[in-house]
Amino acid sequence: MATASINPAAAPASESPEPLEERAALYTSNRPLLTVGVMAATIMQILDSTIANVALPHMQASLSATADTITWVLTSYIVASAVAIPMTGWLADRIGSRNLFLYAIVGFVAASMLCGLATSLPEMVAFRLLQGVAAAFMNPLSQTVMMDINPKSKQASAMSIWGMGVMVGPILGPVIGGWLTDNYDWRWCFYVNVPVGIACFAILWALLPSREIKRRGFDLFGFSMLAVAISVFQLMLDRGQTQDWFDSWEVWLEGLIALAAAWMFLVHMITAKEPMFERSLFTNRNLLTGIGFMAVNGVLMTATLALLPPMLQNLFGYPVLTTGILLMPRGVGIVASMYLAGRLIQRNFDPRIMVGGGLAIVVWSLWDMTGWTIEMGSTPFIVTGLIQGIGLGFVFIPLNIIAFGTLPPHQRTEGASLMNLSRNIGGSVGISVVTALLARNIQTNHSVLAAHIPDPGLTASDPVVSSMLGSSTDSVLAMADAIVNQQAAMIAYLDDFKLMMILTLVAIPLVLLLKRPAPAKPGEDTPHVAMD
């Protein structure tokens, strides 16, 4: 891999043809083409976190797996990404951000090819672990590159472009995965990464600049404690539903191990001479608040996408491809509001107002979702999805601008890794919580509703009912049970939507903790904070 010192894309700042006030932290000879390459890599990585979801039943049969074990195809990717993300900053300093990005693309493409060639579940899980490690570096690095190659005046637009890929990717994943699986084979969900990855590598090899390489020690103990905390916590979330959560000693043990490892990591961060992350990162109020918001955003985005597809397919009877199409308006809303948010920030509109307003729009959409019924058509899904997408877009871009606008350029990679880690953990927690509540509430609602059903024997003996149904007592009982199951499940989904609405409503006051980044002065490289 070429390093920044011999890379023509990384020309010194003095050679940049742009005026001083419009100079980016890193110079590249073709910013638009590099943006295309970076975004293609980002979307490829984001898509792969969801594109395989709809293909799981086909994988299960092909790999001779059970319904419980096939989910490790998804879990292994998530765990590997979460564990590897904290290493991004150190590796970028150690071998160069350019080299790390190129290595990550090569590893991701190679792992994708191996996943497509897998013939057993252990092979698939191993290859997905490799793919998850490579993917972990791509997201923070792409975000950092988009900030570094653009001057201060264009960073809002750059974050809008980056955010569109990150937010729309999970929505397009099931659609693309379903189309590839139906028309070709589930293995093409992985093979499709190969040509895209090769094109991305070629663009980044030619144009990607690199930060200065810094030799700093690796905090092995800190990383080990954080890795144990994240991986065991994820294991607890995955096993909790099947083990009846805290009624199981296994879940208690996993929770205590995760808590102990997280505590030791926190103490080590405070006391170590050279901790894994620079301690000054955690004195930045905007970054810390942004990390909290990003966890909420992970819950909203990931948990919603985990609930809606099975609800649309199982309760409303929509096929897979139609389900994906009904979810697409959410992506349209996200793209539209991200574009508008970027334009408003360029006009010095206060991003904190957009964050608060976006969260309020999301609350409105979730409140509307609590009124859904079994009998309704597809229009409410489209309208509510569009509204919710608009709200999420107004949160995501301004939040990133606020969080990174007060960080010096050399801390952006570590800041991005923390933000992405927070979103991943929030998504994992969100999925586990809403699915666990869904299962429990279905049982509870079924018991409550069934208690109000008349004796099926008396109902069937009614001449009017018998003439209408032409059925026996058993048929009446089966029909009633099916209706009760359907209504119990619908109420359980509405309860989950209500919970997410309350979580979003509670998060809105956190906007008051944010400080507005002041516009950079001519020739100023490091953003500062307006003391308002």
Side-chain angles (χ1 to χ4, degrees):
M1 300 288 175
T3 61
S5 60
I6 61 174
N7 175 22
S14 60
E15 297 180 16
S16 173
E18 297 171 329
L20 184 62
E21 64 272 14
E22 282 297 303
R23 192 167 296 168
L26 294 176
Y27 170 74
T28 181
S29 59
N30 193 332
R31 185 186 300 153
L33 183 57
L34 178 57
T35 298
V36 171
V38 170
M39 288 311 305
T42 303
I43 293 173
M44 175 180 67
Q45 179 266 325
I46 293 292
L47 280 176
D48 230 66
S49 62
T50 58
I51 196 172
N53 292 28
V54 295
L56 283 183
H58 300 269
M59 292 185 197
Q60 180 180 339
S62 180
L63 302 176
S64 301
T66 64
D68 292 335
T69 58
I70 194 63
T71 57
W72 277 99
V73 173
L74 305 178
T75 304
S76 56
Y77 183 90
I78 296 172
V79 171
S81 294
V83 170
I85 279 178
M87 295 180 62
T88 308
W90 177 81
L91 282 173
D93 286 344
R94 184 75 178 180
I95 65 176
S97 57
R98 166 186 163 85
N99 288 341
L100 181 58
F101 208 153
L102 293 173
Y103 286 138
I105 292 177
V106 171
F108 189 84
V109 171
S112 298
M113 179 64 76
L114 291 172
C115 287
L117 296 172
T119 58
S120 66
L121 183 62
E123 287 182 5
M124 175 60 79
V125 171
F127 298 148
R128 284 285 279 178
L129 285 170
L130 295 175
Q131 192 182 37
V133 170
F137 306 133
M138 294 167 67
N139 219 11
L141 287 172
S142 65
Q143 186 175 11
T144 304
V145 169
M146 294 294 285
M147 293 287 287
D148 286 346
I149 65 175
N150 287 278
K152 181 77 173 179
S153 62
K154 296 182 179 179
Q155 286 180 353
S157 297
M159 283 294 95
S160 297
I161 296 171
W162 183 83
M164 289 175 192
V166 171
M167 302 290 279
V168 175
I171 296 173
L172 294 179
V175 179
I176 297 174
W179 184 81
L180 288 172
T181 303
D182 289 341
N183 292 277
Y184 296 97
D185 186 76
W186 66 263
R187 298 181 186 275
W188 278 98
C189 293
F190 301 103
Y191 291 150
V192 72
N193 294 329
V194 177
V196 178
I198 292 174
C200 294
F201 181 86
I203 294 173
L204 269 60
W205 174 271
L207 299 173
L208 182 63
S210 179
R211 293 182 175 278
E212 179 184 356
I213 294 178
K214 299 177 182 178
R215 303 293 183 184
R216 61 185 176 107
F218 181 63
D219 182 10
L220 180 60
F221 180 80
F223 172 74
S224 300
M225 291 299 99
L226 184 60
V228 169
I230 292 173
S231 56
V232 176
F233 181 64
Q234 182 65 53
L235 181 63
M236 182 190 78
L237 294 177
D238 290 335
R239 296 279 295 168
Q241 183 61 29
T242 58
Q243 299 298 314
D244 202 19
W245 289 101
F246 291 102
D247 289 334
S248 166
W249 278 106
E250 177 189 337
V251 175
W252 271 106
L253 182 61
E254 289 161 353
L256 291 174
I257 292 174
L259 182 62
W263 174 254
M264 286 189 285
F265 171 76
L266 180 62
V267 172
H268 181 74
M269 276 292 302
I270 296 173
T271 60
K273 183 178 180 181
E274 293 185 0
M276 186 170 185
F277 300 106
E278 292 186 34
R279 275 190 281 266
S280 59
L281 284 169
F282 300 96
T283 62
N284 188 304
R285 195 167 81 187
N286 275 13
L287 180 64
L288 286 179
T289 308
I291 289 173
F293 270 124
M294 200 56 70
V296 174
N297 187 77
V299 171
L300 293 175
M301 191 70 183
T302 312
T304 303
L305 290 176
L307 289 174
L308 290 180
M311 185 187 76
L312 291 173
Q313 294 175 47
N314 299 332
L315 291 184
F316 291 86
Y318 292 109
V320 174
L321 190 57
T322 305
T323 297
I325 294 173
L326 288 176
L327 295 177
M328 288 186 68
R330 187 183 309 271
V332 174
I334 289 172
V335 170
S337 59
M338 281 185 175
Y339 173 78
L340 181 58
R343 301 288 291 180
L344 289 174
I345 291 175
Q346 286 182 327
R347 296 177 181 271
N348 292 324
F349 191 85
D350 193 339
R352 297 171 298 180
I353 296 177
M354 284 187 278
V355 172
L359 289 172
I361 293 174
V362 172
V363 170
W364 173 29
S365 69
L366 290 168
W367 175 79
D368 190 60
M369 291 167 69
T370 61
W372 284 355
T373 64
I374 292 288
E375 293 78 16
M376 70 184 191
S378 60
T379 301
F381 302 125
I382 297 172
V383 175
T384 306
L386 181 65
I387 293 173
Q388 192 169 107
I390 291 173
L392 289 171
F394 275 125
V395 172
F396 194 79
I397 296 305
L399 183 61
N400 276 276
I401 293 297
I402 292 173
F404 289 95
T406 54
L407 283 179
H410 74 275
Q411 289 186 335
R412 285 175 184 164
T413 302
E414 287 193 339
S417 66
L418 288 171
M419 294 276 280
N420 281 277
L421 177 63
S422 174
R423 188 174 73 247
N424 288 354
I425 293 177
S428 297
V429 172
I431 290 174
S432 297
V433 170
V434 298
T435 52
L437 288 177
L438 182 68
R440 288 176 179 266
N441 287 340
I442 287 176
Q443 295 177 353
T444 302
N445 295 335
H446 186 279
S447 300
V448 173
L449 293 175
H452 294 80
I453 300 297
D455 187 331
L458 296 176
T459 303
S461 63
D462 188 311
V464 177
V465 175
S466 298
S467 62
M468 292 176 61
L469 297 178
S471 304
S472 64
T473 301
D474 291 339
S475 298
V476 173
L477 183 61
M479 185 179 299
D481 187 61
I483 295 174
V484 168
N485 284 335
Q486 188 182 49
Q487 294 296 331
M490 190 66 203
I491 296 172
Y493 278 112
L494 300 184
D495 289 340
D496 276 354
F497 297 149
K498 184 177 180 180
L499 175 65
M500 289 191 289
M501 181 190 71
I502 295 172
L503 172 64
T504 309
L505 194 62
V506 171
I508 292 179
L510 293 177
V511 174
L512 300 176
L513 298 178
L514 297 170
K515 291 184 178 181
R516 181 180 182 181
K521 298 177 181 178
E524 184 179 52
D525 294 326
T526 304
H528 61 284
V529 179
M531 304 304 292
D532 58 339

